[in-house]
Amino acid sequence: MVLFIEVLDGLRQGSRFKLIPGQIIGRREGDIVVEDQKISSRHAQIELDNKQQFVLSDLGSSNGILAGNRRVKKIALIPGVVFKLGRTSFRVVPVDDKPAAEFARIRTWRENLAETLPTDWVQNRMPESAGKTFSPPLCLKFIQGIQTDEELYLAYGPRHLGANSLDIDLKEPEAPPQVCELVPGADGFALLKNLCNNKLTINNQSVMTDSILHEGDHIRIGGTVIMVTYV
């Protein structure tokens, strides 16, 4: 029998990861990367205890490991155990040896797509062929709506926002495929180009032409509000 952890919700729902001693789970670093703003960069590590059983140990994360409603420093990874990191729930799943040999984990479409895209774009680094940089870098913080508490840091442009966008995906139900384009202006600050007519507002004002984004501006599309900051 081989043990896996299965992601129960979020963008990686359905993904399975084989338990291997030393694996790190984190938001930005590690062997298992989970897109959850409440998970720390290096959140927890899979280890073997003195009985050679798998355990998950907290690495001093901000939100710890939740077992039920209780925060713990360590949890035994035995079949059927459910735990939570940030907003994301996981379950320990046993798989027979033969099926387990045929896959390491179930992959999401985002992971498959990422392998076909240049690494620079996936990691938000500026490739040589990219456009201009935002100077200072731009931060989009979701303060209302489905994606509340998510933060996106943008170093270069142009960048495109929209429903099911391969660049910046908006999960707002009212968002059209093309919401807006963010382009570095002449002074390095972000210029917003509205691509959805009257569906988008800045500070509750309709946007009909290109608009420079200032510190603290609020972009609204449907029930989603994004606050603009520069870092």
Side-chain angles (χ1 to χ4, degrees), residues 162-207:
N164 297 316
S165 171
L166 297 181
D167 188 4
I168 300 176
D169 181 17
L170 296 181
K171 299 174 179 62
E172 165 60 43
E174 296 182 28
Q178 296 188 69
V179 171
C180 64
E181 181 180 47
L182 301 178
V183 180
D187 56 0
F189 286 85
L191 179 71
L192 182 146
K193 296 186 176 184
N194 186 4
L195 303 177
C196 60
N197 298 322
N198 61 352
K199 291 183 178 292
L200 181 148
T201 64
I202 298 178
N203 301 327
N204 295 320
Q205 300 294 318
S206 297
V207 179

mmCIF file of all heavy atoms in Angstrom, residues 162-207:
data_model
loop_
_atom_site.group_PDB
_atom_site.id
_atom_site.type_symbol
_atom_site.label_atom_id
_atom_site.label_comp_id
_atom_site.label_asym_id
_atom_site.label_seq_id
_atom_site.Cartn_x
_atom_site.Cartn_y
_atom_site.Cartn_z
ATOM 1 N N GLY A 162 -9.319 38.566 -16.956
ATOM 2 C CA GLY A 162 -10.602 38.141 -17.504
ATOM 3 C C GLY A 162 -11.009 36.785 -16.976
ATOM 4 O O GLY A 162 -10.210 36.079 -16.341
ATOM 5 N N ALA A 163 -12.250 36.400 -17.222
ATOM 6 C CA ALA A 163 -12.753 35.094 -16.808
ATOM 7 C C ALA A 163 -12.023 34.005 -17.592
ATOM 8 O O ALA A 163 -11.964 34.046 -18.820
ATOM 9 C CB ALA A 163 -14.256 35.003 -17.043
ATOM 10 N N ASN A 164 -11.450 33.031 -16.871
ATOM 11 C CA ASN A 164 -10.716 31.916 -17.474
ATOM 12 C C ASN A 164 -9.508 32.378 -18.283
ATOM 13 O O ASN A 164 -9.061 31.683 -19.186
ATOM 14 C CB ASN A 164 -11.638 31.069 -18.359
ATOM 15 C CG ASN A 164 -12.759 30.424 -17.571
ATOM 16 O OD1 ASN A 164 -12.536 29.893 -16.487
ATOM 17 N ND2 ASN A 164 -13.976 30.496 -18.094
ATOM 18 N N SER A 165 -8.989 33.559 -17.946
ATOM 19 C CA SER A 165 -7.800 34.055 -18.633
ATOM 20 C C SER A 165 -6.606 33.174 -18.307
ATOM 21 O O SER A 165 -6.440 32.708 -17.181
ATOM 22 C CB SER A 165 -7.504 35.495 -18.199
ATOM 23 O OG SER A 165 -6.241 35.918 -18.692
ATOM 24 N N LEU A 166 -5.749 32.945 -19.299
ATOM 25 C CA LEU A 166 -4.526 32.201 -19.066
ATOM 26 C C LEU A 166 -3.474 33.077 -18.404
ATOM 27 O O LEU A 166 -2.415 32.584 -17.999
ATOM 28 C CB LEU A 166 -3.985 31.635 -20.386
ATOM 29 C CG LEU A 166 -4.892 30.628 -21.083
ATOM 30 C CD1 LEU A 166 -4.233 30.119 -22.357
ATOM 31 C CD2 LEU A 166 -5.217 29.466 -20.161
ATOM 32 N N ASP A 167 -3.749 34.372 -18.270
ATOM 33 C CA ASP A 167 -2.823 35.268 -17.601
ATOM 34 C C ASP A 167 -3.307 35.509 -16.165
ATOM 35 O O ASP A 167 -2.825 34.884 -15.237
ATOM 36 C CB ASP A 167 -2.700 36.576 -18.377
ATOM 37 C CG ASP A 167 -1.604 37.483 -17.841
ATOM 38 O OD1 ASP A 167 -0.897 37.060 -16.904
ATOM 39 O OD2 ASP A 167 -1.449 38.600 -18.350
ATOM 40 N N ILE A 168 -4.261 36.387 -15.963
ATOM 41 C CA ILE A 168 -4.820 36.630 -14.636
ATOM 42 C C ILE A 168 -6.298 36.252 -14.668
ATOM 43 O O ILE A 168 -7.120 36.952 -15.261
ATOM 44 C CB ILE A 168 -4.632 38.098 -14.210
ATOM 45 C CG1 ILE A 168 -3.135 38.441 -14.169
ATOM 46 C CG2 ILE A 168 -5.275 38.346 -12.854
ATOM 47 C CD1 ILE A 168 -2.844 39.883 -13.852
ATOM 48 N N ASP A 169 -6.596 35.124 -14.055
ATOM 49 C CA ASP A 169 -7.940 34.530 -14.105
ATOM 50 C C ASP A 169 -8.828 35.140 -13.032
ATOM 51 O O ASP A 169 -8.529 35.049 -11.839
ATOM 52 C CB ASP A 169 -7.823 33.022 -13.909
ATOM 53 C CG ASP A 169 -9.164 32.314 -13.964
ATOM 54 O OD1 ASP A 169 -10.129 32.917 -14.468
ATOM 55 O OD2 ASP A 169 -9.236 31.154 -13.521
ATOM 56 N N LEU A 170 -9.913 35.783 -13.436
ATOM 57 C CA LEU A 170 -10.889 36.325 -12.501
ATOM 58 C C LEU A 170 -12.026 35.320 -12.330
ATOM 59 O O LEU A 170 -12.631 34.892 -13.309
ATOM 60 C CB LEU A 170 -11.443 37.659 -13.005
ATOM 61 C CG LEU A 170 -10.438 38.812 -13.131
ATOM 62 C CD1 LEU A 170 -11.149 40.075 -13.622
ATOM 63 C CD2 LEU A 170 -9.735 39.082 -11.816
ATOM 64 N N LYS A 171 -12.325 34.972 -11.082
ATOM 65 C CA LYS A 171 -13.373 33.984 -10.802
ATOM 66 C C LYS A 171 -14.730 34.638 -10.551
ATOM 67 O O LYS A 171 -15.696 33.958 -10.243
ATOM 68 C CB LYS A 171 -12.952 33.115 -9.623
ATOM 69 C CG LYS A 171 -11.660 32.348 -9.909
ATOM 70 C CD LYS A 171 -11.159 31.607 -8.708
ATOM 71 C CE LYS A 171 -9.882 30.851 -9.047
ATOM 72 N NZ LYS A 171 -8.788 31.766 -9.461
ATOM 73 N N GLU A 172 -14.792 35.948 -10.669
ATOM 74 C CA GLU A 172 -16.032 36.690 -10.522
ATOM 75 C C GLU A 172 -17.055 36.196 -11.559
ATOM 76 O O GLU A 172 -16.783 36.188 -12.758
ATOM 77 C CB GLU A 172 -15.758 38.184 -10.724
ATOM 78 C CG GLU A 172 -16.982 39.045 -10.954
ATOM 79 C CD GLU A 172 -17.964 38.987 -9.795
ATOM 80 O OE1 GLU A 172 -17.517 39.040 -8.629
ATOM 81 O OE2 GLU A 172 -19.163 38.866 -10.069
ATOM 82 N N PRO A 173 -18.272 35.753 -11.107
ATOM 83 C CA PRO A 173 -19.275 35.222 -12.041
ATOM 84 C C PRO A 173 -19.675 36.201 -13.143
ATOM 85 O O PRO A 173 -20.047 35.778 -14.242
ATOM 86 C CB PRO A 173 -20.467 34.901 -11.133
ATOM 87 C CG PRO A 173 -19.866 34.698 -9.775
ATOM 88 C CD PRO A 173 -18.710 35.635 -9.696
ATOM 89 N N GLU A 174 -19.627 37.514 -12.865
ATOM 90 C CA GLU A 174 -20.046 38.497 -13.860
ATOM 91 C C GLU A 174 -18.905 38.939 -14.781
ATOM 92 O O GLU A 174 -19.133 39.741 -15.689
ATOM 93 C CB GLU A 174 -20.629 39.727 -13.158
ATOM 94 C CG GLU A 174 -21.895 39.446 -12.362
ATOM 95 C CD GLU A 174 -22.463 40.703 -11.729
ATOM 96 O OE1 GLU A 174 -22.240 41.797 -12.289
ATOM 97 O OE2 GLU A 174 -23.122 40.595 -10.679
ATOM 98 N N ALA A 175 -17.718 38.430 -14.559
ATOM 99 C CA ALA A 175 -16.572 38.869 -15.360
ATOM 100 C C ALA A 175 -16.627 38.270 -16.762
ATOM 101 O O ALA A 175 -16.794 37.057 -16.919
ATOM 102 C CB ALA A 175 -15.271 38.485 -14.687
ATOM 103 N N PRO A 176 -16.477 39.082 -17.810
ATOM 104 C CA PRO A 176 -16.400 38.567 -19.167
ATOM 105 C C PRO A 176 -14.997 38.023 -19.445
ATOM 106 O O PRO A 176 -14.080 38.223 -18.635
ATOM 107 C CB PRO A 176 -16.697 39.803 -20.025
ATOM 108 C CG PRO A 176 -16.212 40.946 -19.195
ATOM 109 C CD PRO A 176 -16.451 40.554 -17.769
ATOM 110 N N PRO A 177 -14.799 37.360 -20.570
ATOM 111 C CA PRO A 177 -13.467 36.825 -20.893
ATOM 112 C C PRO A 177 -12.374 37.891 -20.948
ATOM 113 O O PRO A 177 -11.227 37.617 -20.617
ATOM 114 C CB PRO A 177 -13.674 36.169 -22.263
ATOM 115 C CG PRO A 177 -15.127 35.820 -22.288
ATOM 116 C CD PRO A 177 -15.810 36.928 -21.550
ATOM 117 N N GLN A 178 -12.722 39.099 -21.374
ATOM 118 C CA GLN A 178 -11.759 40.182 -21.402
ATOM 119 C C GLN A 178 -12.282 41.333 -20.549
ATOM 120 O O GLN A 178 -13.268 41.964 -20.900
ATOM 121 C CB GLN A 178 -11.514 40.674 -22.828
ATOM 122 C CG GLN A 178 -10.872 39.635 -23.737
ATOM 123 C CD GLN A 178 -10.466 40.232 -25.067
ATOM 124 O OE1 GLN A 178 -9.549 41.041 -25.154
ATOM 125 N NE2 GLN A 178 -11.164 39.835 -26.116
ATOM 126 N N VAL A 179 -11.620 41.582 -19.422
ATOM 127 C CA VAL A 179 -12.029 42.658 -18.527
ATOM 128 C C VAL A 179 -11.190 43.906 -18.777
ATOM 129 O O VAL A 179 -11.706 44.978 -19.049
ATOM 130 C CB VAL A 179 -11.922 42.229 -17.050
ATOM 131 C CG1 VAL A 179 -12.131 43.416 -16.119
ATOM 132 C CG2 VAL A 179 -12.942 41.144 -16.755
ATOM 133 N N CYS A 180 -9.874 43.755 -18.669
ATOM 134 C CA CYS A 180 -9.004 44.909 -18.879
ATOM 135 C C CYS A 180 -7.584 44.459 -19.164
ATOM 136 O O CYS A 180 -7.234 43.280 -18.973
ATOM 137 C CB CYS A 180 -9.031 45.856 -17.677
ATOM 138 S SG CYS A 180 -8.376 45.127 -16.157
ATOM 139 N N GLU A 181 -6.799 45.394 -19.619
ATOM 140 C CA GLU A 181 -5.375 45.165 -19.856
ATOM 141 C C GLU A 181 -4.599 46.173 -19.021
ATOM 142 O O GLU A 181 -4.966 47.353 -18.956
ATOM 143 C CB GLU A 181 -5.049 45.341 -21.339
ATOM 144 C CG GLU A 181 -3.585 45.096 -21.682
ATOM 145 C CD GLU A 181 -3.317 45.292 -23.164
ATOM 146 O OE1 GLU A 181 -3.770 46.321 -23.721
ATOM 147 O OE2 GLU A 181 -2.647 44.432 -23.756
ATOM 148 N N LEU A 182 -3.544 45.717 -18.352
ATOM 149 C CA LEU A 182 -2.685 46.584 -17.560
ATOM 150 C C LEU A 182 -1.355 46.753 -18.282
ATOM 151 O O LEU A 182 -0.671 45.774 -18.571
ATOM 152 C CB LEU A 182 -2.455 45.994 -16.162
ATOM 153 C CG LEU A 182 -3.717 45.766 -15.313
ATOM 154 C CD1 LEU A 182 -3.346 45.138 -13.987
ATOM 155 C CD2 LEU A 182 -4.481 47.068 -15.115
ATOM 156 N N VAL A 183 -1.028 48.007 -18.577
ATOM 157 C CA VAL A 183 0.160 48.309 -19.377
ATOM 158 C C VAL A 183 1.022 49.316 -18.620
ATOM 159 O O VAL A 183 0.490 50.279 -18.043
ATOM 160 C CB VAL A 183 -0.241 48.907 -20.743
ATOM 161 C CG1 VAL A 183 0.974 49.219 -21.582
ATOM 162 C CG2 VAL A 183 -1.179 47.957 -21.481
ATOM 163 N N PRO A 184 2.345 49.125 -18.569
ATOM 164 C CA PRO A 184 3.195 50.141 -17.945
ATOM 165 C C PRO A 184 3.107 51.462 -18.709
ATOM 166 O O PRO A 184 3.233 51.497 -19.925
ATOM 167 C CB PRO A 184 4.605 49.535 -18.052
ATOM 168 C CG PRO A 184 4.375 48.060 -18.178
ATOM 169 C CD PRO A 184 3.108 47.936 -18.982
ATOM 170 N N GLY A 185 2.847 52.541 -17.969
ATOM 171 C CA GLY A 185 2.786 53.853 -18.593
ATOM 172 C C GLY A 185 4.173 54.434 -18.795
ATOM 173 O O GLY A 185 5.189 53.819 -18.458
ATOM 174 N N ALA A 186 4.210 55.634 -19.332
ATOM 175 C CA ALA A 186 5.492 56.275 -19.622
ATOM 176 C C ALA A 186 6.316 56.486 -18.366
ATOM 177 O O ALA A 186 7.555 56.458 -18.401
ATOM 178 C CB ALA A 186 5.244 57.610 -20.319
ATOM 179 N N ASP A 187 5.641 56.688 -17.233
ATOM 180 C CA ASP A 187 6.362 56.920 -15.977
ATOM 181 C C ASP A 187 6.537 55.640 -15.168
ATOM 182 O O ASP A 187 7.005 55.666 -14.026
ATOM 183 C CB ASP A 187 5.628 57.954 -15.131
ATOM 184 C CG ASP A 187 4.180 57.552 -14.858
ATOM 185 O OD1 ASP A 187 3.769 56.474 -15.329
ATOM 186 O OD2 ASP A 187 3.463 58.310 -14.178
ATOM 187 N N GLY A 188 6.157 54.475 -15.748
ATOM 188 C CA GLY A 188 6.296 53.197 -15.061
ATOM 189 C C GLY A 188 5.063 52.759 -14.314
ATOM 190 O O GLY A 188 4.905 51.585 -14.008
ATOM 191 N N PHE A 189 4.172 53.701 -13.980
ATOM 192 C CA PHE A 189 2.943 53.334 -13.292
ATOM 193 C C PHE A 189 1.987 52.631 -14.258
ATOM 194 O O PHE A 189 2.149 52.720 -15.483
ATOM 195 C CB PHE A 189 2.288 54.569 -12.688
ATOM 196 C CG PHE A 189 2.992 55.091 -11.471
ATOM 197 C CD1 PHE A 189 4.059 55.959 -11.585
ATOM 198 C CD2 PHE A 189 2.596 54.683 -10.209
ATOM 199 C CE1 PHE A 189 4.724 56.422 -10.456
ATOM 200 C CE2 PHE A 189 3.241 55.142 -9.079
ATOM 201 C CZ PHE A 189 4.323 56.019 -9.201
ATOM 202 N N ALA A 190 1.009 51.931 -13.693
ATOM 203 C CA ALA A 190 0.129 51.098 -14.515
ATOM 204 C C ALA A 190 -0.959 51.917 -15.191
ATOM 205 O O ALA A 190 -1.595 52.771 -14.572
ATOM 206 C CB ALA A 190 -0.500 50.014 -13.654
ATOM 207 N N LEU A 191 -1.170 51.605 -16.451
ATOM 208 C CA LEU A 191 -2.249 52.184 -17.235
ATOM 209 C C LEU A 191 -3.285 51.095 -17.471
ATOM 210 O O LEU A 191 -2.957 50.017 -17.973
ATOM 211 C CB LEU A 191 -1.712 52.702 -18.571
ATOM 212 C CG LEU A 191 -2.727 53.317 -19.535
ATOM 213 C CD1 LEU A 191 -3.210 54.653 -18.994
ATOM 214 C CD2 LEU A 191 -2.096 53.501 -20.914
ATOM 215 N N LEU A 192 -4.536 51.353 -17.068
ATOM 216 C CA LEU A 192 -5.613 50.379 -17.254
ATOM 217 C C LEU A 192 -6.382 50.683 -18.522
ATOM 218 O O LEU A 192 -6.858 51.809 -18.705
ATOM 219 C CB LEU A 192 -6.547 50.376 -16.049
ATOM 220 C CG LEU A 192 -7.702 49.364 -16.089
ATOM 221 C CD1 LEU A 192 -8.017 48.843 -14.686
ATOM 222 C CD2 LEU A 192 -8.973 49.941 -16.711
ATOM 223 N N LYS A 193 -6.501 49.680 -19.394
ATOM 224 C CA LYS A 193 -7.303 49.792 -20.609
ATOM 225 C C LYS A 193 -8.557 48.945 -20.434
ATOM 226 O O LYS A 193 -8.481 47.711 -20.348
ATOM 227 C CB LYS A 193 -6.496 49.321 -21.823
ATOM 228 C CG LYS A 193 -5.276 50.188 -22.111
ATOM 229 C CD LYS A 193 -4.594 49.784 -23.411
ATOM 230 C CE LYS A 193 -3.444 50.725 -23.746
ATOM 231 N NZ LYS A 193 -2.818 50.401 -25.053
ATOM 232 N N ASN A 194 -9.706 49.590 -20.366
ATOM 233 C CA ASN A 194 -10.972 48.900 -20.143
ATOM 234 C C ASN A 194 -11.396 48.169 -21.416
ATOM 235 O O ASN A 194 -11.522 48.769 -22.482
ATOM 236 C CB ASN A 194 -12.040 49.920 -19.725
ATOM 237 C CG ASN A 194 -13.340 49.259 -19.332
ATOM 238 O OD1 ASN A 194 -13.448 48.041 -19.295
ATOM 239 N ND2 ASN A 194 -14.349 50.069 -19.043
ATOM 240 N N LEU A 195 -11.642 46.863 -21.293
ATOM 241 C CA LEU A 195 -12.033 46.053 -22.450
ATOM 242 C C LEU A 195 -13.472 45.554 -22.348
ATOM 243 O O LEU A 195 -13.911 44.762 -23.180
ATOM 244 C CB LEU A 195 -11.087 44.851 -22.594
ATOM 245 C CG LEU A 195 -9.595 45.167 -22.720
ATOM 246 C CD1 LEU A 195 -8.786 43.862 -22.772
ATOM 247 C CD2 LEU A 195 -9.325 46.009 -23.969
ATOM 248 N N CYS A 196 -14.207 46.023 -21.310
ATOM 249 C CA CYS A 196 -15.562 45.488 -21.118
ATOM 250 C C CYS A 196 -16.597 46.593 -20.930
ATOM 251 O O CYS A 196 -17.606 46.395 -20.238
ATOM 252 C CB CYS A 196 -15.577 44.507 -19.952
ATOM 253 S SG CYS A 196 -15.083 45.233 -18.376
ATOM 254 N N ASN A 197 -16.329 47.752 -21.494
ATOM 255 C CA ASN A 197 -17.282 48.861 -21.485
ATOM 256 C C ASN A 197 -17.725 49.225 -20.072
ATOM 257 O O ASN A 197 -16.909 49.533 -19.227
ATOM 258 C CB ASN A 197 -18.470 48.545 -22.397
ATOM 259 C CG ASN A 197 -18.052 48.357 -23.840
ATOM 260 O OD1 ASN A 197 -17.170 49.063 -24.328
ATOM 261 N ND2 ASN A 197 -18.652 47.398 -24.523
ATOM 262 N N ASN A 198 -19.029 49.159 -19.789
ATOM 263 C CA ASN A 198 -19.544 49.688 -18.518
ATOM 264 C C ASN A 198 -19.551 48.673 -17.379
ATOM 265 O O ASN A 198 -20.130 48.922 -16.333
ATOM 266 C CB ASN A 198 -20.969 50.226 -18.722
ATOM 267 C CG ASN A 198 -21.927 49.136 -19.192
ATOM 268 O OD1 ASN A 198 -21.510 48.028 -19.503
ATOM 269 N ND2 ASN A 198 -23.215 49.464 -19.235
ATOM 270 N N LYS A 199 -18.925 47.525 -17.552
ATOM 271 C CA LYS A 199 -18.903 46.522 -16.486
ATOM 272 C C LYS A 199 -17.840 46.810 -15.432
ATOM 273 O O LYS A 199 -17.852 46.260 -14.342
ATOM 274 C CB LYS A 199 -18.662 45.121 -17.078
ATOM 275 C CG LYS A 199 -19.824 44.577 -17.895
ATOM 276 C CD LYS A 199 -19.527 43.172 -18.380
ATOM 277 C CE LYS A 199 -20.703 42.592 -19.170
ATOM 278 N NZ LYS A 199 -21.867 42.354 -18.293
ATOM 279 N N LEU A 200 -16.894 47.674 -15.751
ATOM 280 C CA LEU A 200 -15.771 47.947 -14.849
ATOM 281 C C LEU A 200 -15.824 49.380 -14.355
ATOM 282 O O LEU A 200 -16.123 50.300 -15.121
ATOM 283 C CB LEU A 200 -14.448 47.679 -15.584
ATOM 284 C CG LEU A 200 -13.143 47.869 -14.815
ATOM 285 C CD1 LEU A 200 -12.093 46.887 -15.316
ATOM 286 C CD2 LEU A 200 -12.611 49.302 -14.988
ATOM 287 N N THR A 201 -15.519 49.572 -13.062
ATOM 288 C CA THR A 201 -15.423 50.921 -12.505
ATOM 289 C C THR A 201 -14.136 51.057 -11.703
ATOM 290 O O THR A 201 -13.581 50.057 -11.220
ATOM 291 C CB THR A 201 -16.613 51.262 -11.579
ATOM 292 O OG1 THR A 201 -16.581 50.394 -10.437
ATOM 293 C CG2 THR A 201 -17.935 51.116 -12.309
ATOM 294 N N ILE A 202 -13.663 52.303 -11.591
ATOM 295 C CA ILE A 202 -12.541 52.627 -10.707
ATOM 296 C C ILE A 202 -13.045 53.652 -9.700
ATOM 297 O O ILE A 202 -13.555 54.711 -10.097
ATOM 298 C CB ILE A 202 -11.339 53.190 -11.482
ATOM 299 C CG1 ILE A 202 -10.803 52.141 -12.474
ATOM 300 C CG2 ILE A 202 -10.229 53.615 -10.522
ATOM 301 C CD1 ILE A 202 -9.640 52.644 -13.315
ATOM 302 N N ASN A 203 -12.947 53.308 -8.431
ATOM 303 C CA ASN A 203 -13.463 54.175 -7.358
ATOM 304 C C ASN A 203 -14.925 54.553 -7.604
ATOM 305 O O ASN A 203 -15.335 55.697 -7.429
ATOM 306 C CB ASN A 203 -12.595 55.429 -7.232
ATOM 307 C CG ASN A 203 -11.143 55.089 -6.938
ATOM 308 O OD1 ASN A 203 -10.855 54.103 -6.258
ATOM 309 N ND2 ASN A 203 -10.227 55.884 -7.476
ATOM 310 N N ASN A 204 -15.695 53.535 -8.067
ATOM 311 C CA ASN A 204 -17.133 53.676 -8.322
ATOM 312 C C ASN A 204 -17.456 54.626 -9.467
ATOM 313 O O ASN A 204 -18.602 55.077 -9.604
ATOM 314 C CB ASN A 204 -17.876 54.120 -7.051
ATOM 315 C CG ASN A 204 -17.816 53.068 -5.959
ATOM 316 O OD1 ASN A 204 -17.934 51.873 -6.233
ATOM 317 N ND2 ASN A 204 -17.633 53.508 -4.722
ATOM 318 N N GLN A 205 -16.469 54.931 -10.302
ATOM 319 C CA GLN A 205 -16.676 55.779 -11.472
ATOM 320 C C GLN A 205 -16.473 54.956 -12.739
ATOM 321 O O GLN A 205 -15.533 54.168 -12.830
ATOM 322 C CB GLN A 205 -15.693 56.959 -11.465
ATOM 323 C CG GLN A 205 -15.814 57.870 -10.251
ATOM 324 C CD GLN A 205 -17.149 58.608 -10.219
ATOM 325 O OE1 GLN A 205 -17.633 59.097 -11.245
ATOM 326 N NE2 GLN A 205 -17.744 58.706 -9.033
ATOM 327 N N SER A 206 -17.370 55.139 -13.720
ATOM 328 C CA SER A 206 -17.231 54.430 -14.992
ATOM 329 C C SER A 206 -15.929 54.807 -15.679
ATOM 330 O O SER A 206 -15.454 55.945 -15.564
ATOM 331 C CB SER A 206 -18.417 54.747 -15.906
ATOM 332 O OG SER A 206 -19.623 54.298 -15.336
ATOM 333 N N VAL A 207 -15.348 53.851 -16.370
ATOM 334 C CA VAL A 207 -14.081 54.072 -17.064
ATOM 335 C C VAL A 207 -14.315 53.879 -18.554
ATOM 336 O O VAL A 207 -14.575 52.775 -19.014
ATOM 337 C CB VAL A 207 -12.997 53.085 -16.577
ATOM 338 C CG1 VAL A 207 -11.692 53.320 -17.317
ATOM 339 C CG2 VAL A 207 -12.802 53.220 -15.086
#
